[in-house]
Amino acid sequence: MPAAADSTKARCDIYPKGEDHTDKMIPCTFSQSQGHLTIARDDGVTHDLTPVGGAPGNFRDQNGDTVYRQSGLGDQGLIFRFPKESVYVYWRTAGLEPADPTNPTWPFTTKDYDATTLLRCGTVDSPHSETCPAGILRMENKQASIVVRSPKGEQFTINFMAEYVNATNRTAAAEREGDTWIVTINGSEVYEVPLAAIEGG
């Protein structure tokens, strides 16, 4: 989330009230200053939110309507509940970019990472059901940080350090089986990371 008195480019997914799906994903800018929030959408709609009451997450917009902020997206963004719609603000904007059919590891490229790969991934009940793209940032002593795009489209980092394995803003349980690390995230998602991905050739 942006720091105080800051703004950032974001992605806004718009859900009509009562709907559980959307086909409207648009660029937007999220700004905050001294508790006041602004969501400026590329479709011309701007939400100016002023905090009200003592409870965090309660706002009024420029029309005087009550708006609630929720944190159901974890470190991926924030949810704002308006009277007639919900606005999901995602910090990462990769979903707005067209997929590159020539790059199976999109949105990761060797321009930004030491290497890219496709990891076997899935759920605890079905650990090998999909492949997830990843970008690899290698460090000394055969350590690496691997940025993964989950089956849900969320991006997060798994750190493979000499003494531990962890993940950003998530719980990680890691177990090595031969030349592969099996990493379980939040008790539900499973990723298989070969040692070759971490250590390189």
Side-chain angles (χ1 to χ4, degrees):
M1 187 173 175
D6 200 1
S7 66
T8 187
K9 296 293 184 182
R11 185 188 97 206
C12 283
D13 293 6
I14 315 301
Y15 289 77
K17 186 175 182 179
E19 297 290 336
D20 60 359
H21 64 279
T22 181
D23 58 2
K24 190 172 185 179
M25 293 191 309
I26 55 176
C28 58
T29 301
F30 180 89
S31 306
Q32 64 178 12
S33 178
Q34 298 180 339
H36 295 262
L37 308 181
T38 300
I39 305 169
R41 297 164 28 181
D42 274 23
D43 60 358
V45 176
T46 298
H47 304 289
D48 290 315
L49 307 179
T50 302
V52 296
N58 294 334
F59 297 86
R60 288 198 189 280
D61 66 10
Q62 67 272 22
N63 301 317
D65 292 324
T66 299
V67 180
Y68 299 100
R69 182 188 66 201
Q70 299 178 342
S71 56
L73 300 179
D75 64 338
Q76 303 295 309
L78 293 169
I79 302 170
F80 293 88
R81 303 290 188 187
F82 293 84
K84 295 183 179 179
E85 64 184 13
S86 294
V87 178
Y88 285 55
V89 180
Y90 289 92
W91 308 134
R92 295 187 180 275
T93 60
L96 297 170
E97 304 166 5
D100 181 357
T102 66
N103 177 17
T105 60
W106 179 91
F108 306 107
T109 70
T110 52
K111 176 182 177 182
D112 302 309
Y113 296 89
D114 296 318
T116 62
T117 189
L118 289 171
L119 302 177
R120 295 177 70 180
C121 59
T123 63
V124 171
D125 296 331
S126 183
H128 315 306
S129 59
E130 302 188 49
T131 56
C132 293
I136 304 167
L137 296 169
R138 295 188 176 115
M139 295 173 272
E140 296 178 350
N141 301 321
K142 298 182 178 180
Q143 302 175 114
S145 290
I146 299 184
V147 184
V148 181
R149 186 166 190 173
S150 76
K152 297 178 182 178
E154 299 179 351
Q155 286 184 206
F156 66 96
T157 302
I158 305 174
N159 300 302
F160 294 88
M161 311 307 290
E163 302 297 330
Y164 61 87
V165 176
N166 67 10
T168 53
N169 299 310
R170 287 162 169 76
T171 59
E175 186 176 324
R176 184 170 162 181
E177 297 183 0
D179 290 335
T180 301
W181 280 100
I182 309 299
V183 183
T184 303
I185 300 296
N186 290 341
S188 59
E189 299 173 358
V190 179
Y191 299 86
E192 297 185 12
V193 183
L195 277 181
I198 300 167
E199 299 176 0

